[in-house]
Amino acid sequence: MKKITIKDVAQEAGVSTATISRVLNNTGYVSEGARRTILETIERLNYRPNAIARSLKQDRSRMVGIVLPDMTNPYFMKLSRSLQKRLRQSGLHGMFMDTYGDPDMELEALNGLMMMRVEAVVLAGTGRNVPAIRKMVRGSGIPFVLVDRKLPGVAADLAAEENEAAAHEAAAELAQRHEAIGILAGPDWISTARERLDGAAAALREAGVALPASYVFAGDLTRESGREGILTFLQLPKPPTAVFSVNNEMTFGLYLGLREAGKALDSIEVASFGDLEFSGLFGHRLSIVEQCPDEVGQAAAELLIRRLAHAEKGEGTESRTFVPTLVRKW
């Protein structure tokens, strides 16, 4: 089937291609009768303008690249919905890229978005491409907004949560009832994982609770690493009686591991940074640090919209930080 072009629409409507362009872009004068005829012709022929070609002519794509490490994680799903909703209210559209936490895929996604002429980028980084991202931010001329994770030396606005104090509170709560507490940690090059580990470790130290190296499992924020972590703890001569988990996906894996080991799911007290939406379906001793993905997503969109509206790229960066709440669910 032949692709309908702007020339086909112009010929059918009996006007010039320039007149069609004025109607599509809402610029310049076109009589009401001609405008109605053109719109009816566009609808009848099912003509769809080439968005990339239009962006090249207008130097505006109205597209925002959104690069996230795990779109299956409920936290990033909620953040994305909130972000997208606010962007659409301002006539912007999100182009989502999932890096699977892989730094090579992250660079590939960012380079691809630059070629697509996006107007801005929202990024939750892997933490492994900081020098390259610094250069990209400086050289691209478009605003970047970081979400959830900090990248040292990257000149970008930030919408994130306070991690260290919230993790400190959760671990201190465990320390009131336990002397053997394990930590399911994440990669230290991801700022959120590092801050949560630092906060939890400080709380145990202040409470006089020992934290031997065998009680810290270095995972990768996935369910599988949470499962591996709890199974590793259970093999110790003296397993922890409580565990602090730095994210919800590792907490999910922890419960999978307990079931695999034949242990009751309430046999260990757990404090999780991030909720499990299905936790009401089984018996547990679970406290959660209740996060703010909706607020973070909306704040990221607001920061980006402000940058695009006022071209304030050279005025220094702005951070918006939200404070999670510790909730005991049993």
Side-chain angles (χ1 to χ4, degrees), residues 39-279:
L39 292 175
E40 289 173 354
T41 304
I42 288 172
E43 182 68 24
R44 179 160 46 82
L45 297 181
N46 196 31
Y47 171 64
R48 295 293 179 266
N50 186 317
I52 294 177
R54 291 179 70 190
S55 74
L56 288 171
K57 290 180 181 179
Q58 300 171 5
D59 201 31
R60 297 194 74 186
S61 68
R62 307 307 291 164
M63 298 299 298
V64 175
I66 302 168
V67 183
L68 302 174
D70 183 4
M71 288 290 291
T72 66
N73 187 317
Y75 177 83
F76 287 114
M77 290 171 63
K78 291 178 181 179
L79 186 156
S80 298
R81 286 173 65 92
S82 174
L83 172 64
Q84 180 174 249
K85 180 179 179 181
R86 183 64 188 92
L87 290 178
R88 288 188 65 195
Q89 290 171 351
S90 293
L92 296 165
H93 303 280
M95 182 179 295
F96 290 88
M97 302 284 192
D98 190 333
T99 69
Y100 299 84
D102 184 304
D104 292 335
M105 290 184 67
E106 178 179 64
L107 270 186
E108 182 181 324
L110 289 170
N111 286 325
L113 290 170
M114 295 301 105
M115 293 176 64
M116 294 176 190
R117 299 171 63 86
V118 295
E119 294 193 40
V121 171
V122 177
L123 171 65
T126 64
R128 303 295 268 183
N129 290 311
V130 173
I133 292 171
R134 283 187 197 136
K135 291 180 182 178
M136 196 173 291
V137 170
R138 287 196 300 265
S140 68
I142 66 173
F144 274 61
V145 176
L146 304 180
V147 290
D148 185 57
R149 303 171 177 188
K150 302 169 186 172
L151 295 177
V154 173
D157 292 333
L158 170 71
E161 296 175 338
E162 200 297 320
N163 288 290
E164 195 162 337
H168 186 287
E169 182 182 5
E173 175 78 10
L174 293 179
Q176 294 179 17
R177 294 181 291 278
H178 300 271
E179 296 181 353
I181 300 172
I183 298 179
L184 294 178
D188 63 4
W189 54 84
I190 296 178
S191 65
T192 50
R194 183 174 62 252
E195 291 165 0
R196 293 169 192 177
L197 173 60
D198 288 347
L204 300 188
R205 185 168 57 249
E206 292 164 13
V209 174
L211 184 63
S214 61
Y215 277 17
V216 179
F217 181 84
D220 62 4
L221 305 181
T222 64
R223 294 181 187 182
E224 179 58 27
S225 67
R227 171 187 160 276
E228 292 175 3
I230 190 61
L231 291 176
T232 299
F233 288 157
L234 291 175
Q235 292 170 7
L236 294 173
K238 183 183 177 183
T241 58
V243 172
F244 171 74
S245 173
V246 300
N247 87 327
N248 53 347
E249 286 294 290
M250 292 185 75
T251 307
F252 193 134
L254 178 153
Y255 284 115
L256 294 176
L258 285 176
R259 174 160 298 226
E260 181 178 329
K263 302 288 186 181
L265 300 187
D266 60 357
S267 62
I268 291 179
E269 185 174 350
V270 178
S272 170
F273 210 110
D275 199 1
L276 298 180
E277 295 183 347
F278 61 84
S279 62

